């Protein structure tokens, strides 16, 4: 299958921030949003993630699932708009498992969207793995992650 955007781009600083947010939240799943204030450049017009905003996980079982705190999510969205940033994707972590969408991830996400869904795996905590996906026809299609 050909996807319109087979790659996602992130700055080195944002990458490191994303990993540290997820490590700090362990053993709970961290979650939040990924935004961009940079367009174009090496990414060929595609937004580059340079902003990582953590959102409190209010799920009843936060070690295995996540839910965005609704008021923080709204506040983050408005702050992004105010700062002329675009929303690129949503992230959450898997503190013990691989960066593969779980069955509850499928239920929690929109069936199709322009947004990408990033999973940060801390299964090997010395070597966290970040994997972005796009949801197409109910399937999670893995994307390539490029440091920009
Ligand atoms: Zn998950």
């Amino acid at each position: 299958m050909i996807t319109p955007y087979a790659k996602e781009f992130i700055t080195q600083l944002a990458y490191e921030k994303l990993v540290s947010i997820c490590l700090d939240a362990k053993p709970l799943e961290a979650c939040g949003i990924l935004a961009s204030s940079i367009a174009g450049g090496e990414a060929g017009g595609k937004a580059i993630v340079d902003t990582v905003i953590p959102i409190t996980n209010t799920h009843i079982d936060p070690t295995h699932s996540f839910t965005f705190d609704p008021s923080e999510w709204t506040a983050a969205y408005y702050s992004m708009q105010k700062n002329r940033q675009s929303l690129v994707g949503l992230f959450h972590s898997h503190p013990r498992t691989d960066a593969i969408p779980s069955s509850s991830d499928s239920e929690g996400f929109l069936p199709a969207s322009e947004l990408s869904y990033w999973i940060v795996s801390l299964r090997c905590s010395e070597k966290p793995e970040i994997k972005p996906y796009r949801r197409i026809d109910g399937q999670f299609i893995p994307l390539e992650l490029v440091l920009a």
Side-chain angles (χ1 to χ4, degrees):
M1 180 186 290
I2 297 162
T3 63
Y5 301 111
K7 290 180 183 175
E8 286 291 3
F9 298 84
I10 188 168
T11 64
Q12 181 75 43
L13 269 178
Y15 186 99
E16 285 163 15
K17 184 173 178 192
L18 178 54
V19 167
S20 79
I21 286 168
C22 294
L23 285 172
D24 287 349
K26 231 181 149 178
L28 306 187
E29 289 196 8
C31 57
I33 63 183
L34 300 161
S36 172
S37 47
I38 314 165
E42 288 170 48
K46 177 103 176 72
I48 301 167
V49 170
D50 63 347
T51 305
V52 183
I53 306 173
I55 292 179
T56 302
N57 180 357
T58 57
H59 198 279
I60 193 164
D61 181 13
T63 57
H64 294 98
S65 294
F66 74 97
T67 303
F68 283 2
D69 177 272
S71 58
E72 282 184 36
W73 160 236
T74 307
Y77 195 80
Y78 281 112
S79 120
M80 241 173 18
Q81 287 198 315
K82 204 181 79 195
N83 296 315
R84 296 165 188 266
Q85 294 169 324
S86 55
L87 178 60
V88 176
L90 311 176
F91 75 88
H92 74 285
S93 65
H94 284 178
R96 293 159 307 276
T97 54
D98 287 324
I100 295 170
S102 69
S103 50
S104 64
D105 289 343
S106 309
E107 290 158 25
F109 286 134
L110 304 167
S113 156
E114 284 303 300
L115 297 179
S116 53
Y117 300 111
W118 302 44
I119 301 178
V120 181
S121 167
L122 307 173
R123 194 176 63 86
C124 176
S125 51
E126 305 81 53
K127 201 170 163 288
E129 189 194 1
I130 304 180
K131 197 96 194 106
Y133 293 85
R134 191 168 298 280
R135 194 92 195 277
I136 297 170
D137 296 332
Q139 305 273 47
F140 284 101
I141 312 296
L143 308 175
E144 186 186 340
L145 184 59
V146 180
L147 279 176

